[in-house]
Amino acid sequence: MVETASFSSFLETIGVLATLIFVLTSMLGMGFSLTVPQIVAPLRDTKLVLLSLAANFILVPLLALGILLIFPLSEGLSIGLFLVGTAAGAPFLPKLAQVAKGDTAFSVGLMVLLMVVTIIYVPIVLPMLLTGVTINPWDIARSLILLMLIPLAIALFIRARYEEVASGLLPLMNQATSLSLLVLFVAFFVVYLSDLLGVIGTTAVIAAVLFLLVSFIIGYLLGGSAGPIRSVLGLGTAQRNLSAALAIAALNFTDPDVMVMILVVSLAGLILLMFIGGELGKRAEVEAGESPEQGKTSTAPER
């Protein structure tokens, strides 16, 4: 029993380290691949910015509350879902945007915007809606600033001043991001295996899937008429900031159900959103392939 506990503790430590590496390398990778103007330009659309904020910080948290009113979940599972519902700005969004053939620059701009707002939003909202929960706002803000904002700013600076260095480091960051993501999922899956098996077939899984699907629909419908933007906002609204949610859960809650619900949403989101992103990507390729043919058809009579 002691050896099993030690092994679980070791795996949990590996999972935490992998999470830190995933966040850091994904931020560095994005900074190495894009410039500040590319990030800022899509956010100059005031209407789009306001709709993005409304989707992520008003409608999705309300959706989480609504789902909790419909489905009977334990206190820990309910807190986990609400944590996911309030934390936006997922580091994984740019990768989803690439799969969906969406606007990559907008995905990074949206991610940074949501991440910054999350730093202010979560410490204010959680104590108001989760009674009896003590949360240190600076602990939440500090982790997000150190793990996300500062690495992204450093990488953007290197890209602006030393583009060749950034180009050389980019493949390494992408490989590290993919590997660390795999490691963190495997480690946490093994540590919480018994708890995760306990929720299979329960309303917790149904609640998680419904939350993800409706969140995507909310973002997609508010994304306007441009396909690449609409796809990114849909995926960005559904793909919550699981790193922030995990950090908050580890610092403030001892109930394992809180972490279990976050992992359930994370695993379900990885499957569902990668599938949705792939379908959106196929649709974008078809539309891109049809455009030249349409152009040839329209010009044929002029010859």
Side-chain angles (χ1 to χ4, degrees), residues 143-157:
S143 63
L144 294 176
I145 291 171
L146 291 176
L147 294 176
M148 297 180 178
L149 290 183
I150 291 179
L152 180 61
I154 292 174
L156 288 170
F157 173 78

Side-chain angles (χ1 to χ4, degrees), residues 116-194:
V116 171
V117 176
T118 294
I119 295 174
I120 303 170
Y121 177 83
V122 174
I124 296 174
V125 172
L126 284 183
M128 292 173 56
L129 298 179
L130 296 180
T131 57
V133 176
T134 301
I135 297 175
N136 188 328
W138 173 239
D139 285 342
I140 299 172
R142 180 176 56 189
S143 63
L144 294 176
I145 291 171
L146 291 176
L147 294 176
M148 297 180 178
L149 290 183
I150 291 179
L152 180 61
I154 292 174
L156 288 170
F157 173 78
I158 294 175
R159 167 63 192 267
R161 297 293 297 271
Y162 310 102
E163 187 173 351
E164 292 184 1
V165 174
S167 299
L169 291 174
L170 180 58
L172 178 62
M173 294 300 103
N174 289 337
Q175 291 174 5
T177 299
S178 300
L179 180 60
S180 59
L181 180 63
L182 175 62
V183 171
L184 77 88
F185 270 119
V186 171
F188 282 135
F189 183 81
V190 173
V191 170
Y192 292 100
L193 178 59
S194 60

Side-chain angles (χ1 to χ4, degrees), residues 100-119:
K101 303 295 188 295
D103 191 315
T104 306
F106 174 64
S107 71
V108 178
L110 178 65
M111 177 192 65
V112 175
L113 171 68
L114 299 179
M115 186 170 52
V116 171
V117 176
T118 294
I119 295 174

